């Protein structure tokens, strides 16, 4: 079964994958291989967050075709700390419905 992450208000798909094939569940969040995210509507920002455990990530924003911006729908670690290499360059999203996104299970 596939797992789709959507922008909550518009329903726009942001990422889709099957667990184990491009999708990693890590510390309760969903991390997608970069090839499986919708780069047409996602923009990696200059804003960062530093996790004391995993390192520094960049926030990712949703920008719809009309230019509407929703900040912080995802995050990406370009250089995670030792022990967290599995999430390197993957787009992280909250599981379930949290923040500006929601998870749908595709059949």
């Amino acid at each position: 079964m596939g797992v789709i992450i959507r922008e909550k208000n518009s329903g726009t798909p942001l990422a889709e994958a099957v667990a184990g094939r491009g999708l990693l569940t890590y510390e309760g969040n969903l991390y997608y291989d970069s090839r499986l995210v919708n780069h047409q509507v996602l923009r990696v920002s200059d804003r960062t967050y530093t996790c004391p455990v995993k390192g520094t990530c960049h926030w990712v924003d949703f920008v719809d075709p009309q230019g509407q911006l929703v900040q912080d729908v995802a995050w990406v670690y370009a250089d995670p700390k030792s022990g967290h290499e599995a999430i390197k360059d993957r787009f992280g999203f909250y599981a379930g419905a949290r923040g500006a996104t929601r998870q749908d299970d595709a059949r």
Side-chain angles (χ1 to χ4, degrees), residues 36-90:
L36 303 173
V37 301
N38 184 351
H39 290 281
Q40 293 178 339
V41 296
L42 292 175
R43 304 287 180 268
V44 178
S45 77
D46 291 333
R47 296 182 318 283
T48 61
Y49 168 74
T50 301
C51 170
V53 176
K54 293 186 288 288
T56 301
C57 68
H58 282 266
W59 287 109
V60 178
D61 299 334
F62 167 75
V63 182
D64 74 11
Q66 291 74 36
Q68 178 183 339
L69 172 74
V70 179
Q71 291 186 324
D72 306 342
V73 298
W75 58 91
V76 64
Y77 286 90
D79 188 25
K81 289 185 176 184
S82 179
H84 301 279
E85 293 86 355
I87 61 172
K88 179 179 174 49
D89 296 328
R90 289 179 172 263

